[in-house]
Coordinates of all heavy atoms in Angstrom, one line a residue:
A25 N 32.3 131.8 139.5 CA 33.2 132.9 139.0 C 32.6 134.0 138.3 O 33.0 135.1 138.4 CB 34.3 132.1 138.0
D101 N 35.4 127.8 155.3 CA 36.6 127.3 154.4 C 36.2 127.4 153.0 O 35.7 126.4 152.5 CB 37.0 126.0 154.9 CG 38.2 125.4 154.0 OD1 38.9 126.3 153.4 OD2 38.4 124.2 154.1
K117 N 37.2 151.2 146.6 CA 37.0 151.9 145.5 C 36.9 153.5 145.8 O 37.5 154.3 145.2 CB 35.7 151.6 144.8 CG 35.8 150.4 143.9 CD 36.4 150.7 142.6 CE 35.6 151.7 141.7 NZ 36.2 151.9 140.4
G171 N 53.8 129.4 158.9 CA 54.4 128.2 158.5 C 53.3 127.2 158.2 O 52.4 127.0 159.0
K214 N 61.4 108.0 160.9 CA 62.2 108.1 162.2 C 63.5 108.8 161.9 O 64.1 109.5 162.6 CB 62.3 106.7 162.8 CG 60.9 106.2 163.3 CD 61.2 104.8 163.8 CE 59.8 104.1 164.2 NZ 60.0 102.7 164.8
I291 N 57.5 97.0 141.6 CA 57.0 98.0 142.4 C 57.0 99.4 141.7 O 58.0 99.7 141.1 CB 57.9 98.3 143.7 CG1 58.0 96.9 144.5 CG2 57.3 99.3 144.6 CD1 59.2 96.9 145.5
R370 N 36.6 142.1 158.2 CA 36.4 143.3 157.5 C 37.2 144.5 158.2 O 37.7 145.3 157.6 CB 34.9 143.6 157.6 CG 34.2 142.8 156.5 CD 32.7 142.9 156.8 NE 32.2 144.3 157.0 CZ 31.8 145.2 156.1 NH1 32.1 144.8 154.8 NH2 31.5 146.3 156.4

Side-chain angles (χ1 to χ4, degrees):
D101 183 19
K117 283 281 293 180
K214 293 176 182 177
I291 305 168
R370 282 167 48 83

